[in-house]
Amino acid sequence: MQWLKTKTIEQALADSDEPGRQLQRSLGAFDLMILGVAVAVGAGIFSVGARAAGSFAGPAVIFSFILAAATCAVATMCYAEFASSVPVTGSAYTYTYLTMGEGLAWIIGWNLLLEMVSAGAVIAKYWGIYLSTIFATAGWDVPSTLYLGPVAMEWGPFVIVAIFTALLVRGTKASARVNNVFTLIKIAITLFVIAVGFSYMDVKNFTPFVPPAQPPVIGHGVTGDVWGQPMLAWLFGAQPSQYGWLGVISGASLVFFAFIGFDVVATSAEEVKDPQKTLPRGIFGGLALVTLLYVLVTLALTGMVPYTELAKAENPSLATAFVSVGANWAAQVIAVGVLMGLTTVVMVLLMGSARVLLALCRDGLLPRSWSVTSSTHKTPVRLQLLVGVGIAGLAGFTKVELLEEMINIGTLSAFVLVSLGILVLRKKRPDLKTGYRVPLVPVLPVVSALLCSYLMLNLTTLTWLRFIGWMAIGLLIYLAYGMRHSRLAQAQAQ
């Protein structure tokens, strides 16, 4: 049955060396670590943590971050083993193809596209909003929206996406150098935020640390109806609630968005020098640094202002907290930091989206003509341009921010299959040489799969409904096109 057919590791490595469809190995461990920090610090610290504290967990949002980080760490171990064993592009899609078959691999690849394209569009839109905020603080009246007749267009996303699409077309190493500079500046600003935030800390704001559960207050991501409930609560007939320990878990499901960078890093495996050593070091180093920064910033945020103040804000952020304590100047610095932070997130997601598409096209599940790489720069020019147009269009013309939780569910579904895929890989290829091996197999991969599944079930019913619709569309595309044009199917038919 075509759905269950798998590729061998040797086939995957051979496909990555196919003339005209090759990528260039140019990244080191530091580049990888910075890629992980680049995509995570900005998305989580500057846009999601305050919302999770105000709407779901209160000061206990620190536990939400720790739970999300622990879940990501266990899943990242599985990614590190796969990436160092099979250093080719495609991330979870490729790993699933090697272990569980083409059908599930397609679904995961389709979900990765949902994750990365949606995240890229959401962050690009935030980038445009923050750019307008900076103009406003400088006294310049530059609206973020232009009107093309009756059509409203956010122009900021088009600017940032165009710049980094052009850089990525020129080469991954050149893009990485620009990314490294922006990310180091972003880390410096984050450390500044932590230091200033701690100077305004009032320990009274940590009481109650875990706010008691209560009926939900409508607004800011909390609807109070069946569509805004966690799926798990709906399945067991629990009444809608806000805060308490269930709120901490719901907060973890939301802030997991902050850790999506580490599966994106795995998509660059084919562009890494000495991947068996470099990939594990880069992935784990980035995750450790990001987790430390999240915990410190979260303590500063919830120590500065009561979580109830964050809950009242329409779009709560770090800037909200600084304005509340009268430090408007700090809020302006943060706005610049946010802009720089989101800049690097957009770049990494643009790169990751194109690499997942490249893997799908190489295998014939999407048109192979799209997978041609540049003879001079060794980059997937056609796919990079396609991704750029798609992300800019979504961010510029739609309310893509409504799909934030879709990013999380796409990531978590990939984490589940990669975790279980380690069990299959160990059974199929016990002799495989790798730069990193997950300890305590089968316990840790199973724990990872269960934790990710639990977080998925704490996303809202509406998110699940949209996710099922997205997978249904993907299944139709596979049945109508991918199954018939698959290179694996054609090779086995000969």
Side-chain angles (χ1 to χ4, degrees):
M1 183 179 178
Q2 183 65 28
W3 180 274
L4 298 175
K5 290 180 179 177
T6 60
K7 291 174 66 174
T8 65
I9 292 175
E10 291 72 21
Q11 283 175 310
L13 292 172
D15 288 344
S16 70
D17 286 330
E18 183 182 354
R21 291 178 167 82
Q22 296 168 307
L23 298 172
Q24 185 174 2
R25 295 195 181 276
S26 60
L27 303 178
F30 180 76
D31 296 316
L32 280 188
M33 185 179 77
I34 293 298
L35 276 177
V37 176
V39 76
V41 175
I45 286 181
F46 296 136
S47 62
V48 178
R51 178 183 162 199
S55 298
F56 295 103
V61 70
I62 187 173
F63 292 143
S64 300
F65 272 109
I66 291 172
L67 177 58
T71 303
C72 185
V74 180
T76 297
M77 292 180 186
C78 301
Y79 271 88
E81 179 167 338
F82 266 120
S84 60
S85 304
V86 197
V88 300
T89 197
S91 187
Y93 158 75
T94 299
Y95 310 149
T96 305
Y97 209 156
L98 297 172
T99 55
M100 299 185 186
E102 183 178 277
L104 272 179
W106 163 260
I107 290 297
I108 287 301
W110 187 242
N111 288 346
L112 285 176
L113 290 178
L114 169 69
E115 168 203 338
M116 295 183 193
V117 172
S118 296
V122 168
I123 299 303
K125 189 156 193 172
Y126 283 144
W127 187 91
I129 292 170
Y130 271 99
L131 181 62
S132 295
T133 301
I134 290 173
F135 284 149
T137 58
W140 301 342
D141 184 15
V142 182
S144 62
T145 305
L146 298 178
Y147 289 91
L148 308 175
V151 179
M153 182 190 78
E154 302 278 346
W155 60 268
F158 284 89
V159 172
I160 189 61
V161 169
I163 291 171
F164 276 109
T165 296
L167 269 174
L168 288 164
V169 165
R170 279 196 56 81
T172 304
K173 186 61 178 179
S175 304
R177 287 172 181 158
V178 175
N179 175 67
N180 292 351
V181 172
F182 275 99
T183 303
L184 291 174
I185 295 172
K186 176 169 61 175
I187 291 172
I189 292 174
T190 303
L191 293 174
F192 163 80
V193 168
I194 293 168
V196 175
F198 271 73
S199 71
Y200 284 98
M201 183 178 290
D202 183 349
V203 293
K204 294 179 182 178
N205 293 328
F206 291 123
T207 304
F209 197 73
V210 181
Q214 65 179 46
V217 177
I218 309 304
H220 314 313
V222 180
T223 65
D225 58 14
V226 66
W227 303 114
Q229 278 187 272
M231 173 62 81
L232 196 65
W234 178 78
L235 287 173
F236 288 96
Q239 291 297 314
S241 64
Q242 190 176 9
Y243 304 123
W245 284 107
L246 284 179
V248 171
I249 296 170
S250 294
S253 298
L254 177 64
V255 303
F256 195 84
F257 175 83
F259 293 94
I260 64 170
F262 299 97
D263 67 315
V264 177
V265 170
T267 67
S268 66
E270 199 172 314
E271 297 163 273
V272 175
K273 296 179 289 187
D274 193 11
Q276 289 200 328
K277 294 180 180 179
T278 302
L279 279 160
R281 291 173 184 172
I283 291 173
F284 290 129
L287 179 61
L289 179 55
V290 165
T291 302
L292 176 63
L293 291 174
Y294 285 157
V295 169
L296 292 175
V297 169
T298 301
L299 280 172
L301 172 73
T302 53
M304 289 170 65
V305 296
Y307 73 92
T308 50
E309 288 296 315
L310 296 173
K312 293 175 184 176
E314 184 175 354
N315 293 299
S317 66
L318 278 174
T320 305
F322 278 101
V323 170
S324 295
V325 296
N328 290 4
W329 60 271
Q332 293 173 0
V333 174
I334 289 171
V336 175
V338 169
L339 190 70
M340 300 190 74
L342 298 183
T343 299
T344 62
V345 179
V346 173
M347 193 217 80
V348 180
L349 291 171
L350 281 167
M351 185 184 78
S353 302
R355 272 49 179 183
V356 172
L357 271 174
L358 176 64
L360 291 167
C361 294
R362 273 181 181 166
D363 291 330
L365 301 184
L366 289 174
R368 267 180 58 78
S369 60
W370 296 355
S371 64
V372 175
T373 55
S374 164
S375 59
T376 53
H377 302 300
K378 300 296 183 184
T379 55
V381 176
R382 297 178 185 179
L383 292 176
Q384 200 65 71
L385 293 173
L386 178 65
V387 166
V389 170
I391 287 178
L394 280 172
F397 293 107
T398 71
K399 291 186 177 180
V400 72
E401 61 271 22
L402 298 176
L403 300 180
E404 275 187 13
E405 288 196 3
M406 295 291 286
I407 302 165
N408 293 350
I409 201 167
T411 305
L412 287 165
S413 65
F415 277 23
V416 169
L417 285 188
V418 170
S419 300
L420 297 177
I422 286 294
L423 305 180
V424 180
L425 181 69
R426 292 285 185 92
K427 185 174 182 179
K428 291 178 68 173
R429 298 294 298 270
D431 58 333
L432 186 65
K433 293 182 179 180
T434 179
Y436 174 81
R437 290 176 70 84
V438 180
L440 300 177
V441 173
V443 175
L444 281 185
V446 171
V447 167
S448 173
L450 290 174
L451 283 173
C452 292
S453 299
Y454 185 65
L455 288 180
M456 286 178 72
L457 288 171
N458 276 278
L459 293 170
T460 65
T461 309
L462 181 59
T463 297
W464 271 92
L465 186 64
R466 290 169 173 165
F467 182 59
I468 291 169
W470 175 258
M471 287 198 296
I473 294 171
L475 182 60
L476 289 175
I477 293 173
Y478 175 70
L479 294 175
Y481 183 90
M483 183 178 284
R484 292 186 295 111
H485 292 84
S486 163
R487 291 188 74 204
L488 182 63
Q490 292 173 354
Q492 292 177 348
Q494 293 175 354

